[in-house]
Amino acid sequence: MKARAAKNKATMKKMKKGATEFSVASAAADGAPDFLPLEGGPERKIPVSELKENKATVLYIGRIPHGFYENEMEGFFKQFGTIKRLRVARNKKTGKSKHFGFIEFDSPEVAKVVAECMHNYLLFEHLLQVHLIPPERVHPKLWKGVNRWYKPLDWVRIERKRHDKERLLDEQKKLVDRIIKRDDRRRKRIEAAGIDYECPEIVGCSQPAPKKIRFDAECE
């Protein structure tokens, strides 16, 4: 029994040694297949993937909290490296932040470090979403007007100017008619609700108020 066990042990050693030598020889041989498909067919080789050099320097930053704008972002991210350009997406009508933006660094290595460190970083109860943008996916108009600070329109001034403009006689009549119709609908809703209330009468003037005082020559 002992002799048979020793013989089996020696046989297993020879088989392992032979398998190791065969694998080394097959790997060293040019054109040797990497694996044989289980379903049958020709031998296959695993394609060698080339490591692409990282050249991305533009970062997308999402979920930017309120109050974390251009100056705050520049002051925070310049600790990693030199910032070339920075942009926060804003509403063209109101000028308010859309809570996402873009940053471009000088070095691709710095951009990669920022993407790894700042992704899912908790800032003012917001988890920042930081991703590298490949150079081929950067829009050519991404940095258009980046050096110009957007000044939102003064809609209060525009509405005041529209309200106070001089109106013609027809425009004044239409304005008064709309006010009277709106008041009639309000009176009907009050009556339908069973409320006993006498609404004051609206006295409309179809003549527009003069903007300037004119003096006749006879009054002088």
Side-chain angles (χ1 to χ4, degrees):
M1 293 291 294
K2 292 183 179 180
R4 183 179 297 179
K7 186 176 180 181
N8 291 339
K9 189 174 181 181
T11 305
M12 291 296 296
K13 285 185 178 180
K14 289 182 180 180
M15 290 178 63
K16 289 182 179 180
K17 184 177 180 180
T20 305
E21 292 177 354
F22 176 76
S23 61
V24 172
S26 62
D30 294 333
D34 292 325
F35 66 95
L36 296 174
L38 297 176
E39 63 275 8
E43 301 170 346
R44 300 181 186 177
K45 288 186 64 65
I46 299 176
V48 180
S49 59
E50 298 180 359
L51 296 176
K52 295 183 179 180
E53 185 180 359
N54 178 30
K55 296 182 180 180
T57 58
V58 181
L59 291 171
Y60 163 83
I61 302 179
R63 292 186 55 81
I64 298 175
H66 175 70
F68 194 66
Y69 301 141
E70 288 86 355
N71 294 333
E72 292 79 9
M73 289 179 63
E74 183 178 3
F76 183 81
F77 284 100
K78 70 180 181 181
Q79 62 180 320
F80 294 97
T82 305
I83 298 175
K84 290 180 64 177
R85 289 176 289 192
L86 183 147
R87 177 189 177 187
V88 175
R90 292 182 175 273
N91 189 302
K92 293 183 179 180
K93 185 176 181 180
T94 62
K96 294 182 179 180
S97 172
K98 292 184 178 180
H99 303 286
F100 71 91
F102 304 91
I103 294 181
E104 183 179 8
F105 288 92
D106 275 340
S107 173
E109 291 77 12
V110 173
K112 184 179 179 182
V113 170
V114 174
E116 293 175 353
C117 296
M118 297 304 300
H119 184 60
N120 286 332
Y121 182 83
L122 183 62
L123 183 67
F124 297 114
E125 300 181 359
H126 285 249
L127 289 176
L128 293 181
Q129 301 298 308
V130 184
H131 302 285
L132 280 170
I133 303 178
E136 61 272 9
R137 296 190 60 185
V138 177
H139 199 277
K141 294 184 179 180
L142 176 62
W143 306 110
K144 183 178 179 181
V146 68
N147 295 325
R148 297 196 305 267
W149 292 93
Y150 178 75
K151 184 178 180 181
L153 297 176
D154 189 355
W155 291 99
V156 175
R157 181 180 59 82
I158 295 173
E159 184 63 22
R160 185 188 301 116
K161 184 178 180 180
R162 186 192 67 81
H163 182 271
D164 296 342
K165 72 176 182 178
E166 296 185 8
R167 295 182 177 85
L168 301 176
L169 182 59
D170 295 339
E171 295 176 347
Q172 184 70 14
K173 286 182 178 179
K174 290 180 181 179
L175 177 63
V176 174
D177 292 341
R178 287 198 299 268
I179 294 174
I180 294 176
K181 288 180 180 179
R182 189 162 57 246
D183 184 67
D184 291 340
R185 290 196 297 267
R186 182 167 56 247
R187 290 171 184 269
K188 291 179 181 179
R189 288 198 300 268
I190 292 174
E191 292 178 1
I195 301 174
D196 186 11
Y197 175 75
E198 293 184 2
C199 299
E201 294 291 337
I202 295 179
V203 180
C205 179
S206 60
Q207 294 290 340
K211 299 298 180 180
K212 296 180 181 179
I213 300 175
R214 295 181 181 180
F215 296 94
D216 297 334
E218 300 176 355
C219 298
E220 295 180 355

